[in-house]
Amino acid sequence: MEFKFNLNDIFKQSVVEINNSLIPPGFSGDRRALWDTLGKVSEVINTVGEASAASQGLPKPITTADRLRNSEQKLYLLIDQTANNGKGAVTGMLKTGKKGLYVFDRDGQHYQVTPPCVLDFYIHESRQRTGLGKQLFEHMLQKEEIEPVQMAIDRPSDKFLGFLNKHYTLHSPVKQMNNYVVFDGFFPRSSEQTETKESKSR
Ligand code: ACO
């Protein structure tokens, strides 16, 4: 995704984390420069949010600059700094945030939890299946110090389910009525129950 302006003037790294301030890491400048930067960051977020929604067949974007500004969510942007004659291009986006959820395990036991969630994930069509999604997802896991199985996924697409199976051997999703999906190992007590069963059998 290319823009008229030079992305490398705004985003200084290949993966950039944006929160509700919308101020990119490493920003320096006066008030006018800040307004200019915020306008450009908003344009980038809205454009990538629209592309993600179109790619997933959603009626409207779930990621917009306005929604990010009014949230505690984090947006990771993947930048190819060399593309577009050195002006850079946005190649992907990943949004995470905590949500209060009721989740049911396979036995129908329910839990009230507030897990970190994958809310939106997109790699530009021209770059899908080249490993960029894994690169961006791994960056997020390191930053948030979390394992994929500890996260709930909002309406995962088949592509994303394939991705999780391939890279993290997460399969047989436990689908929830709220459209979130979790995997075995997510539930707080499942490991304790296994331990109890194992210790009884010893
Ligand atoms: N069909 C089936 N599986 C796919 C596809 C596809 N078109 N694209 C990616 N995958 C899965 C496969 O497991 C693939 O491995 P394979 O090529 O050996 O079969 C693996 O992902 C590839 O891994 P990466 O190259 O690291 O993934 P990629 O860069 O393509 O990013 C992503 C994965 C984000 C799902 C990307 O394909 C994409 O943007 N898809 C369209 C939008 C989308 O579905 N986003 C997720 C919505 S759900 C949510 O956001 C919570």
Side-chain angles (χ1 to χ4, degrees):
M1 240 165 292
E2 297 170 357
F3 296 84
K4 277 181 279 175
F5 45 88
N6 189 333
L7 287 169
N8 294 318
D9 291 341
I10 310 167
F11 303 126
K12 308 292 183 196
Q13 299 116 352
S14 57
V15 182
V16 172
E17 189 180 327
I18 312 272
N19 62 19
N20 54 14
S21 74
L22 304 191
I23 302 173
F27 170 81
S28 70
D30 59 15
R31 218 175 132 98
R32 206 172 135 195
L34 177 62
W35 281 112
D36 182 58
T37 297
L38 291 179
K40 288 173 176 163
V41 171
S42 298
E43 185 179 335
V44 168
I45 294 171
N46 290 336
T47 305
V48 77
E50 274 172 28
S52 179
S55 173
Q56 296 174 56
L58 302 174
K60 59 180 181 151
I62 46 178
T63 299
T64 66
D66 267 355
R67 287 182 76 162
L68 186 64
R69 198 182 285 116
N70 294 302
S71 77
E72 292 299 315
Q73 297 165 357
K74 281 186 199 156
L75 186 76
Y76 299 85
L77 292 173
L78 187 63
I79 315 289
D80 178 347
Q81 294 168 302
T82 61
N84 194 17
N85 299 318
K87 283 161 81 181
V90 177
T91 51
M93 169 268 278
L94 173 60
K95 190 173 73 169
T96 62
K98 289 196 168 180
K99 292 275 174 180
L101 301 175
Y102 277 101
V103 289
F104 290 80
D105 67 15
R106 292 188 193 281
D107 300 327
Q109 176 103 18
H110 78 274
Y111 305 86
Q112 189 175 1
V113 287
T114 311
C117 301
V118 182
L119 301 171
D120 202 359
F121 188 21
Y122 171 69
I123 297 293
H124 190 264
E125 275 71 12
S126 65
R127 309 284 188 109
Q128 286 175 16
R129 281 187 141 156
T130 64
L132 290 185
K134 171 93 187 303
Q135 186 191 330
L136 184 56
F137 202 78
E138 282 288 313
H139 182 99
M140 178 278 292
L141 293 175
Q142 274 194 8
K143 282 292 230 176
E144 305 201 10
E145 298 180 334
I146 196 162
E147 300 288 330
V149 74
Q150 297 171 286
M151 305 188 83
I153 320 286
D154 188 10
R155 292 166 218 260
S157 61
D158 288 342
K159 290 181 186 179
F160 190 27
L161 289 173
F163 172 95
L164 290 168
N165 189 8
K166 176 183 167 126
H167 295 304
Y168 303 103
T169 46
L170 292 175
H171 48 79
S172 314
V174 188
K175 293 184 179 158
Q176 305 293 316
M177 282 186 305
N178 52 19
N179 292 319
Y180 278 76
V181 153
V182 294
F183 293 88
D184 291 320
F186 173 87
F187 299 99
R189 278 204 256 144
S190 58
S191 60
E192 284 169 31
Q193 282 168 353
T194 314
E195 271 169 33
T196 314
K197 275 185 206 154
E198 278 173 2
S199 52
K200 275 184 187 161
S201 66
R202 268 187 207 137

